[in-house]
């Protein structure tokens, strides 16, 4: 199948609305770098896009094994994108293991680029192939670009005198050159990047640049198999402005820092490493110049307790973990509920139960967030829907935590944390501040005196003369805050704690319909990272004339005031969730709407097509 | 609430709240509270900058009775809260009050890590060798064979040596005292507060209801002089009614032994001289067991070192100095950006 | 107000259907002993009864203070009883503090017995009285029996030469003698008990007996105030058999031991003391001869982990705590869900959030039990409704945990744990055994092979030759049990874990209607310790002709198969709960029934009258 | 699954599962696994009576590779699971595998209490001074200044001394070895298994990816002889390429010091003789710090004592003996009962 193309005038480029490309190779093959360069080129070409890096679960698996495969997926196009794509249009497989693991993601007729040179007997065996898939017909339903990339790369870099090992490390860039040609991308930014990255090793920079150009030239000179042309993906219609790509991890960290700034507070993060929550700790640990203190505690309990202590002392206390770690924080969150201190608890959800699939995504901690504590201990629960959305949700979390003196649980997930999308950088100076006012006046001070409107208690911090007082987990007198075992007082305090949280419903936006008619035949209600696939599915089907709408919740608790009415307007309610039906329970119990779940618990995000199919099944057609 | 009029003339009463103290009559906690209020007054500790943090237990009710800031948290976690408080505001004088159950059973891990990190806290552990608040179950410091509601046939685990544990965790300051020895206690509190870093103080506290007189063998008046070794830095290890008992290094083996001055040719010069900075000595002193050896009281070990919250602030200051003018706008624009034109 | 009664023929005794008596005094006054003796006498008289001991929150408060008051309440009668009573018919107050604390529990016209001798200025001050309530008219709406019990007791015991302190300690027994007369109770069993209890101190035994007789004689010789007569409470119609009184703590412990016996397993309890859960640890620690191992762990996490370890090794692992401690166990319970090991988690609920009111009761951990873990981690949830019911529920917990290889959460509460009721001792030999069969055959062994019907996996314990295998918290392959990161497998395992728990609905009794018509105008649905007051309220109102029914759930998760249908048959559903509405959420979400909550969160059980009122409000009349 | 045909002739392979080992190439864990499989075979440990229990971490994957019973539990809690297992069935040979994060960060409390209780377990801690599995954050054993993803400016807490910590917790058996020293490791495993009570073994384990060569100063071939003190009970503390270095008690102070035999009048007789039973000596040995002192390897301390699970069984046996024929019917009828007649 290797090429013997004639030097005819190049075939015209095929117009594409969008394309999904996945770079896959061994952990050491530099796939994440390749992916980010390609992302940058797509952004520069004006495409909308979304990316998802997919690391192996093992730290560093033996070379060439299937469990050592590292991949990076990008979906880019001229329309709205919002997911990293259902099925691959192109798979780049740098070795047999990558082909083995990733092939079933490729759509029939899709293109697979393989490095023939890596398909040695040894590598085939390591990948678990009995026969060479390049020869046994198993790739027949795809279009295969089979190139000895290893050899061609070595040839391209020969003149720079690198060792064989170093030379082969340019394979990924050679391949990037090839893919650049296929999608008509500009090489210059990558050239610039290579120069700056390897400023101290010009030989490596030059080799890589040579490889990039060689790969590009290889494609340009039409040495491609029959039926494979280059593509043209037009720019998307994008609101003008300054853009960047952002992962959920970064947007979340920045949002917390920004929120603390708007509240006028120093930020304190108490955390304990856990996949996939650690990035928040890592990123914030690097932001000390913004008044951020990070504390890697001995465990999740100490982490949340230190954050509550920091809030007590006048910082914005934040703690972060994933499901199993959040489970350990429940008792302490109860104390923050009882003592009415601000606290933000970030949960980067992962597949469970127990250790589960730490590197896979799931949305199964909604129950835990809303109901997962002993006693009546209502808290605010928010969910971010996409990487960039984390920024706004984090600010909202800070606003509510400080204004209402309450814990706020912010749900994100492993998919959002690592995925990236383009983000129009917001004008931060235009954001409304919500400065915290600590109590300082001793006159008539009572530590549990409440604001009449918000029902929030005052925040009086140690160091303030004349306000010395004691708080704790035993029930507090409604007026004085002293320990009280009184029955009526306990009822009153329970009621006011609940009323405070319920009352937040008045302070959050009414629920809007994201797409579709307010009284459509079917509404798809989502929360969190299902946003992308639901949005795309509903958009497509509205395009096809379906009477379907999309409602996506940011405020999970309390729910927006109008949500019940809104949902009653639709004939049917469908709730896709990456769990066995948790939001369904909340909405059914609140509004007695006969919401139906569409549940996927495979550690994988929904595909657009899965949601489309579910809608079609229900609306016919 | 407690507006202190004249900070120059504080009295123990200024540190007492209006809350009724609710320990059992005769509980050792009363004496400790009194010693603390008195010492606070003597040290002129500013109430508004002082925070008492506790877990759960009889002992952990302590903060309610101190007219400073106070946080009665959850069982075993006080050191973690205190760490957050101190990191958020290093100017505060933060005390942790805990018990042998709170600090050494459920809270052992947090105690250990606080000691290791050397956050500038005073951790005061009321050791009554029992769970008081939950009505008398045995604790990690209870002696083997302790009959309690949860061990009707007697406990079967070995008690932890509190001082040894603290030193093993890397504590930089370890001291011991007794609930009823007001003067000694006051001095130990003063030393603990003066030490930069985590100061760990174990107080033998009598629980009159569930474990009465468990420390009698060395706290009762008759035994005290013969069973208590009151440590003084730079002074030889002498004790006893007649001041003729002493501690020396064993000969031909590794360890300490009790000797009588004037017997078998032992003179004062043979005795070990107390050196608070010597961790090895502290380890041996902490391990001494009655009845063969006396109980070492006072400051066993005191080794100042950089404290966690100070190092954390230094890193923050360095970051600020290295990136002056850091602001959110800049943060959001870090790294690769591009502009989409109209 | 002291008596100057004429020696007329004694007034005829007043017939009572039932009476609520509360003995209250200082912690050192022996009120718990007095109460249990009185309970025994009521049992012997053939009354139905229920008792509730009410200890002070403090360990040992200073003498004479209000927070040092200890009380014991008993409700007994000729009809069904089931609660310790709404309002007191008689209050025995041994000192001013007891009067201060307990008086508002006494119904208007009720009798209060006070020890005049204890109403000294000092004691009045300690109790917080400004004036002596015996003189200032504040007892006018009650019938007061004001006696110098202290003096009379000293007189009665004078001949035995006790110290004043020891003599005064007989006060409670003197008072008991008086109350025995009032309710026509037999003194002999108490005499016998005193003799055996003080076998080694005959002087004390004799003094107490003399005091008992003296109190009795005092009342008999009619030195009672006007309008106060003795009472007659007829025996109840009670199923014949051998009876005892039992607290929830004991019934639970015995039920677990009995369940383990039926399963053929040794019992292992890993626990950490906490109010009000500690009694289970204490009681089981005394039952070593039944093959029970108890382990006081360093914390609740170690407690549950040790129990899971014990189950793994072939014991029945049990752990117990209260809300805040259960919160700490969530992560480990998830592991038991994932590894599918039997585990019983007993939660003796108390008032929260956080430390809350440790000695007060609440039912607010239902959310935590059903939903309170990360990820989709369904478990079985059972609730006991009364002290004696704990026995059966515990056996049911063992049956389900071992048959389905699953954690079972058993909810009880502080009220049930300490309250006592008469119990017809069941014929244990008639119970059906459910012996566990460990896997022993290596042939074809797979650790996650499932029983087709129950979907339970096999239980293969270490020590069995040829079955060596590894299990853990990472998702397991459906067939081999090996670690599997496969997406479809995770879906399949999630589904089967859920199906296994759902399937238990087929193996539990259909929900029955406790009282009333199956299609009544209103059904009161309850769970746990609200059983008593709901049962009585509904019974009374049915008696009055109301069309009301009572449904009480033992199986909270999964719910009985017919429950949805059943509930739809009623016009209205009312759910009284000692929380802000947790079962309501579960039932509303499951069946979309418009259940209404009746919520009380004061740390106090419902009164019968409160539930009656709520029913009347809804049904009119 | 793994039916062992001839228990008399077990080979290391009989202890290996069919699961692909998934540590990074070059990870020190491989060598430890190999040493364990070999030692198990040599000890003829019955696979069906052997249980490996672990927490979470790279090291905690260990049980998957041992063809015995295995339980990969949750982070930090393995000692608690193991305690339950051993109490439920004292016949089992229970090993705990943990890491410096698993055992000394989140799991510190459980480790401490297991050691104190003296349950008959072998606890093997793989210390690589880093969190491997979560990609390289610093751990409680990381040296001050460690740059890691969570401490980009360097860690600021003091590392815990693992041996000191274990002794402080009351461990009755403390040993140390190195991942790559197969023979030494095997001997330590054997000793640990032989000890009745909780045996604690720290293994210096190289994480090639996140903390490569962190123990190089005493593990590299050149340094080994001069920086490793291989302990032998009853033998003087001698080490060094030339076997002329030794450890003696400091003169005029309390502590150990390294000396050269033949210099300054130091002879072999001046050296401390290793005594595994001497806890005081063990405390000093555990605290020795490079570069001034060598690293003590082998069995630092071994003091057999009654074990928890045996005492628990004894109490149960006594209860059974005291109340023969106890049965449920009798249990329910204990105390006061009465009969209601027809
Ligand atoms: C999570 C949790 N577990 C258990 C308890 C119950 N509890 C409260 S105090 C205590 C032990 C107290 O013992 P100690 O610290 O020695 O204090 P003491 O009462 O003896 O002063 C226990 C087990 C609790 N409050 N919270
Ligand atoms: C409750 C919980 N918190 C955090 C984690 C994440 N986690 C897994 S392993 C680990 C640290 C492992 O370090 P160590 O014990 O030193 O093992 P190593 O990987 O270095 O062998 C952490 C933090 C988890 N799995 N569970
Ligand atoms: S129970 Fe013991 S420790 Fe607690 S207050 Fe009473 S005497 Fe003190
Ligand atoms: S990360 Fe380190 S400890 Fe973990 S497997 Fe790799 S080399 Fe070993
Ligand atoms: Mg105590
Ligand atoms: Mg490690």
């Amino acid at each position: 199948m290797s090429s013997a193309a004639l030097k005819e005038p190049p075939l015209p480029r095929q117009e594409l609305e969008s394309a999904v490309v996945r770079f896959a190779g061994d952990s050491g093959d530099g796939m994440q770098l390749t992916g980010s360069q390609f992302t940058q080129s797509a952004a520069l070409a004006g495409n909308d896009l979304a990316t998802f890096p997919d690391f192996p679960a093992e730290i560093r698996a033996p070379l060439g094994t299937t469990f050592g495969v590292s991949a990076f997926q990008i979906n880019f196009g001229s329309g709205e994108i919002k997911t990293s794509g259902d099925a691959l249009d192109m798979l780049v497989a740098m070795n047999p293991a990558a082909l083995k693991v990733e092939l079933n993601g490729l759509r029939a007729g899709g293109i697979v680029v393989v490095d023939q040179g890596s398909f040695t007997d040894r590598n085939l065996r390591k990948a678990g192939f009995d026969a060479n898939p390049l020869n046994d017909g198993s790739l027949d339903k795809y279009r295969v670009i089979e190139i000895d990339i290893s050899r061609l790369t070595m040839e391209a870099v020969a003149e720079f005198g690198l060792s064989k090992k170093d030379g082969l490390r340019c394979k990924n860039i050679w391949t990037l050159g090839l893919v650049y040609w296929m999608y008509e991308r500009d090489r210059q930014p990558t050239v610039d990047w290579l120069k700056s990255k390897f400023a101290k090793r010009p030989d490596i920079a030059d080799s890589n640049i040579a490889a990039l150009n060689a790969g590009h030239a290889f494609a340009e000179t039409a040495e491609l198999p029959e039926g494979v042309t280059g593509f043209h993906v037009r720019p998307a219609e994008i609101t003008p402005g300054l853009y960047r790509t952002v992962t959920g991890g970064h947007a979340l960290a920045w949002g917390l820092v920004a929120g603390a700034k708007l509240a006028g507070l120093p930020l304190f993060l108490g955390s304990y490493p856990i996949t996939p929550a650690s990035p928040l700790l890592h990123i914030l640990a690097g932001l000390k110049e913004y008044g951020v203190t990070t504390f890697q505690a001995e465990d999740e309990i100490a982490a949340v307790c230190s954050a509550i202590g920091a809030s007590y002392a006048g910082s914005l206390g934040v703690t972060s973990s994933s499901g199993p770690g959040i489970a350990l924080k429940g008792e302490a969150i109860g104390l923050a509920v009882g003592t009415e201190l601000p606290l933000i608890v970030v949960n980067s959800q992962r597949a469970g139960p127990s250790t589960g699939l730490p590197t896979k995504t799931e949305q199964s901690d909604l129950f835990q967030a809303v109901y997962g504590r002993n006693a009546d201990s209502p808290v605010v629960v928010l969910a971010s829907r996409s990487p960039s959305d984390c920024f706004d949700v984090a600010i909202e979390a800070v606003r509510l935590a400080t204004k209402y003196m309450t814990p706020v649980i912010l749900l994100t997930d492993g998919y959002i944390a690592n995925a990236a999308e383009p983000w129009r950088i917001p004008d931060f100076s235009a954001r409304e501040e919500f400065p915290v006012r600590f109590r300082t006046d001793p006159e008539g001070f009572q530590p549990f005196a409440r604001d009449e409107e918000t029902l929030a208690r005052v925040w009086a911090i140690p160091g303030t003369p004349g306000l010395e007082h004691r708080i704790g987990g035993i029930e507090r007198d409604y007026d004085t805050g002293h320990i009280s075992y009184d029955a009526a007082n306990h009822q009153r305090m329970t009621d006011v704690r609940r009323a405070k949280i319920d009352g937040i419903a008045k302070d959050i936006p009414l629920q809007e319909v994201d797409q579709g008619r307010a009284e459509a035949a079917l509404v798809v209600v989502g929360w969190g990272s299902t946003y992308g696939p639901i949005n795309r599915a509903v958009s497509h089907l509205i395009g096809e004339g379906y009477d379907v709408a999309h409602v996506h919740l940011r405020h999970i608790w309390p729910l927006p005031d109008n949500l019940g009415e809104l949902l009653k307007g639709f004939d049917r309610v469908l709730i896709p969730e990456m769990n066995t039906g948790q939001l369904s329970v909340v909405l059914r119990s609140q509004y007695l709407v006969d919401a139906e779940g569409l549940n996927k618990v495979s550690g994988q995000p929904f595909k657009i097509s899965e949601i489309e199919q579910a809608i079609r099944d229900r609306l016919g057609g | 609430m407690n507006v202190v009029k004249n900070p120059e003339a504080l009295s123990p009463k200024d540190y007492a709240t209006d809350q009724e103290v609710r320990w059992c009559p005769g509980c050792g906690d009363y004496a400790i509270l009194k010693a603390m209020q008195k010492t606070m007054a003597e040290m002129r500790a500013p109430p508004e900058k002082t925070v008492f943090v506790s877990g759960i237990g009889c002992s952990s009710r302590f903060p309610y009775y101190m007219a400073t800031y106070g946080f009665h948290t959850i069982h075993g976690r006080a050191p973690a809260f205190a760490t957050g408080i101190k990191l958020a505001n290093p100017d505060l004088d933060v005390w942790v009050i805990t018990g042998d159950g709170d600090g050494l059973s459920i809270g052992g891990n947090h105690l250990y890590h606080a000691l290791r990190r050397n956050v500038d806290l005073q951790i005061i552990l009321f050791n009554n060798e029992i769970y008081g608040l939950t009505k008398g179950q045995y604790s990690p410091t209870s002696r083997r064979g302790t009959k309690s509601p949860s061990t009707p046939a007697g406990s079967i685990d070995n008690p932890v040596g509190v001082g040894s544990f603290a030193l093993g965790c890397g504590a930089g300051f370890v001291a011991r005292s007794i609930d009823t020895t007001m003067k000694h206690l006051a001095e130990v509190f003063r030393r603990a507060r003066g030490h930069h870093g985590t100061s760990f103080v174990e107080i033998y506290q009598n629980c009159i209801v569930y474990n009465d007189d468990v420390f009698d063998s060395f706290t009762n008046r008759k035994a005290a002089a013969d069973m208590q070794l009151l440590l003084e830095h730079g002074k030889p290890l002498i004790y006893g009614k007649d001041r003729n008992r002493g501690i020396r290094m064993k000969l031909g083996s590794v360890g300490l032994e009790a000797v009588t001055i004037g017997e078998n040719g032992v003179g004062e010069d043979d005795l070990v001289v107390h050196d608070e900075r010597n961790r090895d000595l502290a380890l041996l002193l902490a391990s001494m067991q009655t009845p063969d050896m006396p109980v070492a009281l006072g400051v066993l070990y005191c080794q100042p070192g950089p404290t966690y919250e100070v190092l954390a602030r230094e890193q923050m200051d360095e970051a600020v100095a290295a990136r002056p003018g850091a602001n959110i706008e800049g943060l959001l624009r870090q790294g690769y950006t591009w502009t989409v034109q109209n």
Side-chain angles (χ1 to χ4, degrees), chain A residues 40 43-44 189 238-245 254 257-258 261 268 286-299 301-302 305-306 308-310 312-313 315 331-332 335 339 341 391 422-423 425-426 428-429 442 445-447 460-474 480 482-483 485, chain B residues 1-4 17-19 22 46-53 56 61 63-75 77 80-89 92 106 109-111 113-114 116-117 308 312-313 315-316 319-320 323 326-342:
Chain A
Q40 185 177 316
L44 271 182
I238 291 180
T239 318
L242 183 67
Y243 279 79
R244 64 172 303 130
T245 58
W254 298 341
V257 174
K261 172 93 184 145
F268 177 96
L287 299 180
K288 297 187 173 41
E289 61 272 26
Y290 297 91
V292 175
T293 302
T294 57
F295 171 58
Q296 179 176 314
E298 56 271 29
D299 64 13
I301 299 174
C305 293
S306 68
I308 296 171
Y312 170 73
S315 285
E331 189 204 2
L335 179 67
T339 52
L341 284 167
F391 185 77
W423 185 38
I425 299 174
F428 184 69
S429 62
F445 169 68
Q446 297 282 20
I461 63 173
T464 318
L467 301 194
E468 295 83 357
H469 65 280
R470 277 65 51 196
I471 62 173
I474 300 181
T480 64
H482 293 320
I483 288 185
Y485 293 103
Chain B
M1 312 194 73
N2 313 83
V3 189
V4 176
T17 60
D18 57 355
Q19 297 295 291
R22 293 203 178 176
E48 79 277 9
K49 290 200 166 170
T50 307
V51 188
F52 279 85
V53 186
I56 304 284
R61 297 287 175 99
Y64 287 116
Y65 310 133
M66 292 295 303
T68 61
Y69 284 90
F71 199 171
H72 180 227
T73 68
I74 49 178
H75 197 31
R77 322 296 177 188
F81 288 94
T83 299
I85 293 170
K86 188 75 183 173
L87 281 170
N89 184 354
L92 298 174
I106 190 170
N109 209 34
H110 310 299
L111 177 58
H113 286 282
R116 178 176 76 74
R117 289 192 190 105
Y308 193 85
R313 282 289 147 140
Q315 289 194 339
M316 188 184 285
V320 169
R323 284 173 285 284
N327 59 41
I328 309 286
E329 283 81 358
L331 177 63
L332 304 185
R333 285 162 180 77
Q334 272 176 5
Y336 183 73
T337 60
W338 70 95
T339 303
V340 174
Q341 310 284 8
N342 267 40

Side-chain angles (χ1 to χ4, degrees), chain A residues 14 51 62 112 121 128 146 224 251 269 322 333 359 386 493 520 617:
Chain A
Q14 187 184 335
T51 76
V112 53
D121 282 356
E146 188 187 328
L224 294 178
L269 175 78
S322 184
I333 295 173
T359 57
S386 74
M493 288 297 276
D617 286 351

Side-chain angles (χ1 to χ4, degrees), chain A residues 407-448:
Chain A
V408 175
I409 296 181
L410 193 168
L411 296 172
T412 174
D413 62 37
Y415 184 78
I416 291 178
N418 292 316
E421 62 182 1
W423 185 38
R424 192 159 65 94
I425 299 174
D427 177 6
F428 184 69
S429 62
R431 293 260 175 181
E432 202 179 333
E433 298 187 354
F434 39 83
V436 162
R437 267 179 261 295
F438 296 122
R439 170 86 184 204
T440 54
D441 184 4
E443 191 59 38
F445 169 68
Q446 297 282 20
F448 277 77

Side-chain angles (χ1 to χ4, degrees), chain A residues 59 272-275 278 299-300 321-322 324-326 328 350 355 358:
Chain A
I59 306 297
Y272 184 73
I274 187 169
T275 304
S278 309
D299 64 13
E300 287 83 354
S321 190
S322 184
I326 299 289
L328 292 166
R350 68 188 213 186
T355 304

Side-chain angles (χ1 to χ4, degrees), chain B residues 34 46 67 95 174 184 189 194 208 216 249 301 314 328:
Chain B
K34 224 167 149 186
W95 297 71
V174 176
H184 190 262
F189 287 156
I208 196 168
D216 193 57
M249 290 300 296
Y301 185 53
E314 281 174 11
I328 309 286

Side-chain angles (χ1 to χ4, degrees), chain A residues 50-64:
Chain A
T51 76
F52 186 68
D54 203 354
F55 311 106
E58 320 304 322
I59 306 297
R60 191 166 296 176
L63 220 71

